[in-house]
Amino acid sequence: MTLAAATELATATNEHLAHISNTLIYSSMAVYTLAFFAYIAEWLFGSRSKVARTAAALTAKEDGAARAGAPAVAVKSAGGTTVLERPKVVVRSATGSRDVPDGPGAHGGDVQGDLYGRIAVSLTVLAFLVELSGVIARAASVERAPWGNMYEFNITFSTVAVGVYLALLALKKNVRWLGLFLTTTVLLDLGLAVTVLYTASDQLVPALHSYWLYIHVSTAILCGAVFYVGAVGTLLYLFKDSYENKLANGGRAGRFATSVLERLPASASLDKFSYRVNAAVFPLWTFTIIAGAIWAESAWGRYWGWDPKETWAFITWVAYACYLHARSTAGWKGRKAAYIALIAFGCWLFNYYGVNIFVGGKHSYAGV
């Protein structure tokens, strides 16, 4: 076989692998869509559960009492005088001053809802395996790590994010409530990847020809996936904490909000989950920045040059460092620290999308 024929065969093989990769990515999106509907079914059937029915009944009772002008009171005698007092609501905050149990999960204890939840997890596993195969096929088609442009980064990031979720489930962590939010954002991520960010298989720019690609970029993707899981937990914590505060102050939430939030973990559990996730991955993010600096010295002859990508990676590091510091300070636990955590994740998102797409620099090889 001549050199030209061998080259032509290799090109055809790579194009075929790229086609297989695209097919697998689209197939994974179809399975993720089925998982998405299964998670919705879990939440819907869970709304018929005893937890949801009880919450709705209590809300209706409170609404009726309010309309009748008869607030719920407790009556006790004190020195012969009848005293009316508001009932005390005991709940739990992020600082540990409340005491309410975690919700039962999206299924709410409903058998059929739990069945749909299990089906959703099974579909998520299948979609993950199909998407992972697509990422591997993409790597084979380009004969390198599939992290050379934004399209490849996106499909790998969503794969790792789902992998983190499934790993937590395998470790018996109570995180199935993440499923609906995860599949929604993964579908959005993959939709963006195949419609806007898609780039045909191509070789790396010279600066990326290094074994540091496997070290630096792989850890950056893993950190982003874990930060994402932490951000979802933080966002849900803010909703649940507002709900608990409303109850503690004698307020009432709507039936829909009550049905949903009663099935989530307590605000303290969500706060603890988010903190532990972010704290666990922060050292790896620190290593990612250090590895990037070493790679920069090898590629460009300097460790740090305040390139936009480097600058925003450092800003993200500072933001998460502030969050962890604030979280360990008594006066900054709870909602204040949660806002910092969301700002930190926003910095990571801008570093991921904004810098790559809208800002020029030495890292401008997004291939968009």
Side-chain angles (χ1 to χ4, degrees), residues 49-357:
S49 68
K50 182 178 180 181
V51 171
R53 289 197 306 268
T54 302
L58 289 175
T59 302
K61 183 177 180 181
E62 290 175 354
D63 289 341
R67 286 193 297 268
V73 295
V75 181
K76 72 174 185 178
S77 295
T81 303
T82 300
V83 179
L84 299 180
E85 294 181 346
R86 294 186 63 86
K88 294 182 179 180
V89 180
V90 182
V91 290
R92 180 172 64 190
S93 69
T95 57
S97 59
R98 301 177 191 161
D99 187 19
V100 294
D102 290 337
H107 58 82
D110 182 82
V111 175
Q112 196 166 4
D114 182 61
L115 174 61
Y116 276 103
R118 293 177 184 275
I119 293 174
V121 172
S122 299
L123 289 170
T124 304
V125 172
L126 177 60
F128 167 76
L129 294 175
V130 174
E131 186 181 11
L132 179 61
S133 300
V135 173
I136 294 173
R138 175 74 177 196
S141 71
V142 295
E143 301 178 348
R144 56 168 172 78
W147 309 320
N149 51 61
M150 282 290 291
Y151 169 74
E152 296 173 356
F153 198 97
N154 260 42
I155 61 176
T156 306
F157 170 76
S158 59
T159 304
V160 175
V162 176
V164 170
Y165 166 68
L166 295 177
L168 290 172
L169 285 177
L171 293 172
K172 308 298 183 182
K173 303 297 182 182
N174 177 24
V175 295
R176 205 164 86 185
W177 45 268
L178 267 173
L180 179 59
F181 306 97
L182 179 71
T183 52
T184 301
T185 50
V186 164
L187 283 170
L188 291 174
D189 180 76
L190 290 177
L192 179 66
V194 299
T195 57
V196 178
L197 303 176
Y198 180 77
T199 303
S201 301
D202 200 0
Q203 296 302 310
L204 292 172
V205 297
L208 293 181
H209 283 288
S210 172
Y211 62 88
W212 283 104
L213 171 69
Y214 297 89
I215 300 173
H216 172 66
V217 182
S218 63
T219 55
I221 293 173
L222 177 58
C223 289
V226 178
F227 282 147
Y228 161 77
V229 171
V232 173
T234 300
L235 188 62
L236 293 179
Y237 156 74
L238 290 174
F239 283 106
K240 189 62 182 278
D241 186 63
S242 294
Y243 171 73
E244 292 180 1
N245 283 335
K246 181 174 289 188
L247 294 183
N249 294 324
R252 301 186 308 275
R255 293 187 182 183
F256 175 78
T258 300
S259 174
V260 171
L261 294 175
E262 281 292 333
R263 287 179 275 164
L264 289 175
S267 64
S269 297
L270 290 169
D271 181 62
K272 185 184 297 183
F273 169 78
S274 302
Y275 170 69
R276 288 179 174 177
V277 164
N278 289 323
V281 80
F282 181 73
L284 187 61
W285 182 248
T286 304
F287 170 79
T288 300
I289 295 177
I290 295 172
I294 296 174
W295 187 9
E297 195 280 331
S298 175
W300 302 313
R302 89 289 188 280
Y303 288 101
W304 197 268
W306 295 106
D307 181 77
K309 193 75 167 180
E310 297 167 350
T311 301
W312 276 96
F314 178 68
I315 291 174
T316 302
W317 184 90
V318 171
Y320 273 107
C322 290
Y323 162 71
L324 295 176
H325 176 71
R327 183 61 176 71
S328 62
T329 303
W332 281 86
K333 289 182 180 179
R335 299 185 67 86
K336 292 181 179 179
Y339 292 136
I340 300 177
L342 291 180
I343 291 173
F345 184 67
C347 292
W348 187 90
L349 280 180
F350 182 78
N351 189 36
Y352 175 26
Y353 286 108
V355 173
N356 282 5
I357 298 175

